[in-house]
Amino acid sequence: MDFIFFAFLLLFFTQLQSGFSEVFNIPLNSEASYKLYWTPNYELKSIKFEIHLTPSLNKGDWFALGFSNYGDFTYADYCFVLRDENGHYSIQDVWSDDDLMKIDERSQDCDGFSWSVRYNVTRFSFDRKFDTCDGDDLVIEDGTTHIVWLRGTQDLTNNEEDVDSISLTSATEQGMERTQLMKTLSPDNLNNREKAWSYVFHNTKLQVPTEETTYWCRVIRLPPELSETKHHVIQFESAIQPSSEGIVHHMELFHCIAPPEQDVPLYEGPCSSPTKPAPVESCKSVIAAWAMGALPFKYPKETGRPLGGPSNNPYVMLEVHYNNPEHRTGLIDNSGLRLLISKSLRRYDAGIMELGLEYTDKMAIPPRTPYFTLTGYCTSECTTVSLPSQGIKIFGSQLHTHLTGKRVVTRHIRNGRELAELNRDNHYSPHFQEIRLLKHAVTLLPGDALITTCVYNTQSRPNVTLGGFAITDEMCVNYIHYYPLIDLEVCKSSVTSENLHTFFSYMHDWEGDRTNPDKGISYNYNAIDWSPAKTRLLQEFFDQSTMSMQCNQSNGLKFPGDWENLPNTPVLYPLPPKPRYCSPK
């Protein structure tokens, strides 16, 4: 293994000198015996991948690393590596249909292949363009990428090495991981003479459940040195023990929003347990969030996230998502989140603002619908009355939906003209949520508007999905991280109740549904006999309805103003389509 480590260090330094950035890695399986390394080259618009496999490939063994829309093994594109009967390795660009792998005869986009074997470890690398302009290839973008992989054995009798004969179901092993391949690198953020210390919020000798998916919550009281004096969090990162690298999927640390003197029970157990004490529900203000493959999140030098002090509740809650697909037993974990904390306060407190849709059942998604959009507005009227004249600097973003969310984007509008998008994830997954550092800080000025749109897929649901807090409900939110801290905490919208009442009346009078104006919103949505035509009616209603604004201060009260029946933000000059740096094939 020393040789492998040395070889990869050599690769790392060579690439840094040739336009590549930092080397990243994630485990591909829960034992971390398969690992993926990669480094983007933004000048060449390509990524160099390197895979380490233990045990090594035998003659006739193959390994395929692929890129998929949402983690499906079918209709994905792969770089397929085969070890032949002579012990040599080859790579082919392939794609999959609903059963078989197919060689891409138009182009070979798995370039620069090299391999080596030592100490029972197979190591191979290849290059892949961000955008190959091949219709069978996935475009690698700034958001989430679903990495799929398969390993199997090919029958080499009669020199049979035809990839087209390999069925996806013949793989002896397979897996899927999510990560952000095109990460944002942050420079050193420590100021001169800044004294910072680290503190790890972690589980202690936790016996990881054998279920495939576990969300484990632990309430922790801040130590006196933190709770008694205000500090700034200036960086956070994962603190994962090596044996847990493949099972800790993502983690979040929440501050408990309660009066300073209120105790929160030191609960430790499944997050969804009915025995979880009610006061623990107050632990919902995000301090830090990490997902597999995420880098340390570093605050800009001017700002830090406030933590502790006599005016704040001294309790936080750690939530860890464990992924144990092999149902392994006897796993003991002490992982958590490491915060870099400074007692020397920086110039600005950092804040978190909620954009998107109000948490309300006024918003709904019809059943059995492959594509439905909901949009929330932070209007120019709200930013005009709430932002300082110099505006605020947005440096981070955490997109959020529940289980049916598939895509999220926040657009930035100034005087009717669309500026660069604030954040976009075209392959969003609710199971992979991290706070992402923006590649460039965004200045939001008074009078600007932010439009957050979420795309949903409810094909597997027989009933309407309502907006709300339950995991089976839906949300559309972007938590933006910014400085300096201002009093605007929530800038979200919903359709007006009056317009929704009119919609339900129309469905009763003209579509023959059993809606009733004297009944509640949930009843009326469920009283509609949904069809594709009625789904289109609801989509048009949401797109055209005037809205009710939540332009809320940190005390929960709205800023002065008339926040009902506001029109949707007009986009007079939208952004042109992004250019593609390749030639169609």
Side-chain angles (χ1 to χ4, degrees):
M1 294 301 293
D2 291 341
F3 171 81
I4 297 295
F5 179 70
F6 173 76
F8 202 72
L9 280 180
L10 181 62
L11 173 69
F12 168 73
F13 287 117
T14 301
Q15 290 172 348
L16 282 184
Q17 295 172 358
S18 59
F20 284 86
S21 60
E22 191 171 328
V23 178
F24 312 107
N25 72 87
I26 57 170
L28 293 176
N29 60 352
S30 60
E31 296 90 353
S33 57
Y34 300 166
K35 296 197 78 169
L36 172 67
Y37 298 82
W38 75 94
T39 180
N41 187 321
Y42 291 98
E43 294 178 11
L44 298 179
K45 295 180 173 53
S46 68
I47 299 181
K48 178 172 285 295
F49 293 98
E50 180 157 314
I51 295 94
H52 292 187
L53 305 177
T54 308
S56 183
L57 295 180
N58 297 315
K59 293 179 180 179
D61 285 355
W62 55 266
F63 187 90
L65 184 83
F67 310 96
S68 165
N69 269 324
Y70 291 101
D72 294 328
F73 295 94
T74 56
Y75 299 98
D77 72 278
Y78 295 88
C79 291
F80 180 94
V81 174
L82 172 69
R83 186 181 184 190
D84 65 22
E85 60 183 355
N86 297 315
H88 296 299
Y89 290 78
S90 61
I91 193 168
Q92 287 181 297
D93 184 355
V94 306
W95 59 277
S96 62
D97 59 17
D98 57 1
D99 179 33
L100 298 175
M101 292 190 177
K102 304 286 186 180
I103 296 175
D104 191 336
E105 298 180 351
R106 289 176 294 183
S107 63
Q108 166 60 261
D109 295 310
C110 306
D111 298 320
F113 178 63
S114 65
W115 61 273
S116 66
V117 179
R118 193 173 179 92
Y119 300 122
N120 198 32
V121 178
T122 296
R123 179 175 66 90
F124 58 86
S125 64
F126 60 89
D127 299 327
R128 165 69 148 74
K129 293 285 188 183
F130 295 163
D131 185 359
T132 66
C133 270
D134 186 330
D136 294 324
D137 288 351
L138 189 79
V139 178
I140 297 174
E141 301 172 308
D142 275 343
T144 302
T145 299
H146 292 70
I147 305 289
V148 291
W149 61 269
L150 304 103
R151 179 170 177 162
T153 300
Q154 172 74 324
D155 183 6
L156 297 182
T157 58
N158 300 319
N159 294 319
E160 177 59 68
E161 298 179 14
D162 186 4
V163 174
D164 285 345
S165 67
I166 296 179
S167 170
L168 296 175
T169 58
S170 69
T172 55
E173 295 180 78
Q174 63 183 35
M176 185 274 293
E177 294 295 344
R178 303 174 182 92
T179 192
Q180 184 190 24
L181 291 175
M182 297 169 62
K183 296 183 180 296
T184 302
L185 297 178
S186 55
D188 180 23
N189 71 332
L190 287 179
N191 297 316
N192 293 333
R193 300 180 181 177
E194 187 170 39
K195 294 181 179 179
W197 55 286
S198 67
Y199 191 88
V200 180
F201 296 89
H202 61 92
N203 286 319
T204 303
K205 296 181 179 179
L206 171 66
Q207 185 166 332
V208 178
T210 57
E211 288 82 6
E212 178 174 351
T213 300
T214 299
Y215 284 82
W216 192 266
C217 285
R218 183 189 181 201
V219 176
I220 303 168
R221 185 183 175 97
L222 294 177
E225 59 268 30
L226 272 178
S227 61
E228 295 172 1
T229 307
K230 177 182 174 181
H231 291 69
H232 270 168
V233 177
I234 60 176
Q235 179 178 312
F236 56 82
E237 61 185 338
S238 64
I240 300 176
Q241 63 186 53
S243 60
S244 297
E245 278 189 353
I247 62 169
V248 177
H249 190 270
H250 71 259
M251 300 179 284
E252 291 191 82
L253 185 69
F254 300 91
H255 180 228
C256 302
I257 305 301
E261 68 280 0
Q262 179 177 317
D263 286 330
V264 178
L266 297 177
Y267 173 76
E268 185 170 4
C271 298
S272 59
S273 172
T275 64
K276 185 172 71 174
V280 177
E281 296 297 333
S282 69
C283 306
K284 58 185 179 181
S285 177
V286 177
I287 298 172
W290 172 91
M292 189 176 285
L295 300 174
F297 186 93
K298 300 178 181 180
Y299 283 82
K301 287 187 175 183
E302 302 85 0
T303 188
R305 173 79 158 89
L307 180 67
S311 62
N312 291 307
N313 187 276
Y315 291 91
V316 298
M317 183 184 76
L318 176 69
E319 177 184 292
V320 181
H321 172 197
Y322 292 101
N323 184 42
N324 188 9
E326 289 88 11
H327 306 283
R328 296 161 63 195
T329 60
L331 299 174
I332 305 298
D333 182 60
N334 298 284
S335 299
L337 286 164
R338 178 181 292 108
L339 273 58
L340 192 62
I341 301 167
S342 175
K343 191 174 181 179
S344 303
L345 300 182
R346 293 180 167 184
R347 181 178 180 184
Y348 300 114
D349 284 350
I352 300 175
M353 187 190 305
E354 293 184 25
L355 310 177
L357 282 171
E358 181 184 346
Y359 305 133
T360 173
D361 59 0
K362 289 193 289 183
M363 315 307 291
I365 308 158
R368 298 177 293 275
T369 303
Y371 188 97
F372 195 85
T373 65
L374 293 176
T375 297
Y377 295 85
C378 178
T379 63
S380 59
E381 292 87 350
C382 182
T383 62
T384 296
V385 300
S386 61
L387 266 59
S389 59
Q390 72 276 17
I392 58 174
K393 292 280 189 183
I394 303 171
F395 60 88
S397 167
Q398 182 184 17
L399 305 175
H400 179 75
T401 76
H402 285 175
L403 300 179
T404 66
K406 294 295 183 181
R407 179 182 300 171
V408 187
V409 59
T410 296
R411 303 163 69 193
H412 183 190
I413 313 301
R414 180 175 295 162
N415 298 323
R417 183 178 298 277
E418 184 175 5
L419 306 180
E421 291 175 343
L422 183 67
N423 196 2
R424 171 184 285 272
D425 196 336
N426 284 335
H427 299 95
Y428 172 85
S429 169
H431 304 293
F432 185 75
Q433 300 186 41
E434 59 181 353
I435 304 171
R436 290 177 179 165
L437 195 67
L438 301 183
K439 285 187 166 52
H440 304 284
V442 173
T443 299
L444 186 71
L445 296 175
D448 287 1
L450 296 170
I451 304 174
T452 300
T453 299
C454 298
V455 177
Y456 304 90
N457 182 328
T458 60
Q459 283 181 297
S460 63
R461 294 195 171 187
N463 300 313
V464 67
T465 299
L466 302 176
F469 290 96
I471 191 63
T472 52
D473 297 333
E474 264 307 343
M475 293 184 174
C476 180
V477 184
N478 185 354
Y479 300 100
I480 57 171
H481 295 245
Y482 71 93
Y483 70 90
L485 178 65
I486 60 174
D487 207 25
L488 178 62
E489 189 166 289
V490 176
C491 193
K492 300 159 75 175
S493 70
S494 65
V495 296
T496 63
S497 298
E498 181 182 5
N499 287 354
L500 187 58
H501 178 87
T502 301
F503 174 80
F504 289 143
S505 295
Y506 172 88
M507 298 304 289
H508 177 274
D509 296 342
W510 293 92
E511 298 293 333
D513 287 306
R514 295 177 293 104
T515 52
N516 186 334
D518 296 327
K519 300 283 188 177
I521 293 174
S522 175
Y523 171 88
N524 279 293
Y525 273 126
N526 282 285
I528 296 173
D529 183 15
W530 291 103
S531 66
K534 293 177 183 179
T535 295
R536 287 193 294 272
L537 282 176
L538 182 63
Q539 184 72 80
E540 291 172 4
F541 165 71
F542 282 149
D543 292 343
Q544 299 171 13
S545 173
T546 56
M547 59 184 156
S548 172
M549 270 298 301
Q550 281 189 323
C551 185
N552 291 5
Q553 304 171 64
S554 55
N555 60 9
L557 300 177
K558 292 186 178 182
F559 280 87
D562 184 2
W563 303 114
E564 294 297 321
N565 285 309
L566 294 177
N568 293 343
T569 298
V571 183
L572 305 178
Y573 306 100
L575 282 176
K578 280 189 174 182
R580 300 185 71 176
Y581 299 96
C582 57
S583 300
K585 298 170 182 176

